[in-house]
Amino acid sequence: MNEPAYAELVGQFGHGRVVEAIRHQVDAERMGEEASGEERVMLVKAALSAAVAPRLRRVINASGVILHTNLGRAPLSRAAMDALAVAAGYSNLELDLDSGRRGERASLLSGLLTQLFACDAAFAVNNNAAAILLALTALCKGKEVIVSRGQQVEIGGSFRMPDVMRLSGARMVEVGTTNRTRKDDYEHAITTRSAALLRVHTSNFRVEGFTESASLAEMAAVAHAHDLLLIDDLEAARRRRLPTTQLWLSRSSTRMS
């Protein structure tokens, strides 16, 4: 490690990382891969450079699927890329330029979203699992949330609805069966501890054949009748570039997206 060539690598990659790379190289040589002193330095440097190199690469989407989840979904528009360039530097993220006082980052989007969805309030997070978790934590913690057994899904990234529910502090009440859940199933499960009805999009699978599910209108009628929240997970909206969770608030007959 005191040799000039390795000391220079320490300045670039850090002591621990260089030590680990040298050990891997020495192990390889012990297995029969011969290398001179100069070659060893080059091999160690190549291994270190590969370890810290950017992992994302441009690819050609020839899958026939426009919004491909494994390929980054929708390409960013020029306007979005320009916005990223602004966000990469100093900006008025939390600064009210008119007053010169501290601002609120959510306000940059909330006005546009409330107009788009015709709702009273809106908040943006990076994915649907986060939206569901925030909604359940804020509105249903310590209470019961009623959801169909046919909607206990696991979406990409190993996000499981029962796990999201558990992390929120809400108690899941499962109703119906895997293939059939009716309006009455929700009605019969309501207790004084109930806070909301939850409809979850089944994302990447479909049950066919002898099936039945309560419509959103039927669930809304049940929620309104019992003064409960209705949370609708619109995961499928990502195919329209709108990953959205909507909350129907029955008490005020308003809607938040």
Side-chain angles (χ1 to χ4, degrees):
M1 292 298 295
N2 292 328
E3 294 180 15
Y6 291 118
E8 183 180 345
L9 293 179
V10 170
Q12 291 182 259
F13 302 101
H15 183 274
R17 194 184 292 271
V18 173
V19 169
E20 182 180 2
I22 292 175
R23 286 174 175 164
H24 281 298
Q25 177 58 32
V26 171
D27 287 342
E29 292 177 23
R30 285 173 176 160
M31 297 296 292
E33 296 182 14
E34 297 182 4
S36 66
E38 185 177 345
E39 290 173 335
R40 180 181 299 157
V41 172
M42 294 177 60
L43 290 169
V44 169
K45 183 175 182 179
L48 289 166
S49 298
V52 299
R55 303 295 179 88
L56 286 179
R57 297 176 56 187
R58 288 184 176 272
V59 299
I60 296 174
N61 181 7
S63 66
V65 180
I66 296 176
L67 302 188
H68 197 300
T69 57
N70 301 108
L71 300 180
R73 297 180 179 168
L76 292 177
S77 66
R78 171 53 58 183
M81 294 176 66
D82 291 342
L84 282 175
V86 174
Y90 293 120
S91 67
N92 60 322
L93 178 64
E94 290 188 337
L95 176 66
D96 187 330
L97 294 178
D98 293 330
S99 66
R101 297 179 180 274
R102 181 184 179 92
E104 171 56 54
R105 68 178 62 191
S107 65
L108 298 174
L109 281 178
S110 59
L112 297 172
L113 292 176
T114 53
Q115 292 180 24
L116 178 63
F117 294 109
C119 57
D120 290 343
F123 188 76
V125 292
N126 70 319
N127 60 41
N128 238 58
I132 290 291
L133 178 59
L134 285 176
L136 293 173
T137 303
L139 302 171
C140 307
K141 186 174 183 179
K143 300 179 181 179
E144 296 177 350
V145 177
I146 304 170
V147 59
S148 169
R149 286 189 173 88
Q151 296 171 6
Q152 302 306 301
V153 301
E154 175 179 326
I155 62 174
S158 300
F159 291 107
R160 292 184 170 186
M161 184 50 61
D163 293 339
V164 173
M165 187 78 71
R166 175 178 52 80
L167 290 172
S168 74
R171 178 177 177 270
M172 176 183 291
V173 176
E174 301 178 41
V175 297
T177 62
T178 303
N179 60 320
R180 308 199 84 182
T181 302
R182 304 180 180 88
K183 174 183 176 182
D184 290 345
D185 293 323
Y186 294 97
E187 287 271 11
H188 296 155
I190 294 173
T191 69
T192 56
R193 297 181 298 276
S194 300
L197 274 59
L198 171 63
R199 186 179 78 159
V200 182
H201 189 270
T202 50
S203 187
N204 297 327
F205 79 95
R206 181 170 57 251
V207 178
E208 298 180 344
F210 187 63
T211 63
E212 182 179 354
S213 61
S215 67
L216 186 63
E218 290 176 322
M219 294 180 66
V222 174
H224 280 269
H226 295 273
D227 201 24
L228 300 177
L229 297 170
L230 171 58
I231 304 176
D232 186 21
D233 171 6
L234 297 178
E235 194 276 341
R238 74 180 186 193
R239 294 167 178 81
R240 303 191 302 273
R241 303 189 188 186
L242 294 172
T244 308
T245 296
Q246 294 190 345
L247 310 179
W248 274 260
L249 305 180
S250 59
R251 294 184 184 89
S252 59
S253 298
T254 61
R255 186 176 69 184
M256 295 196 304
S257 296

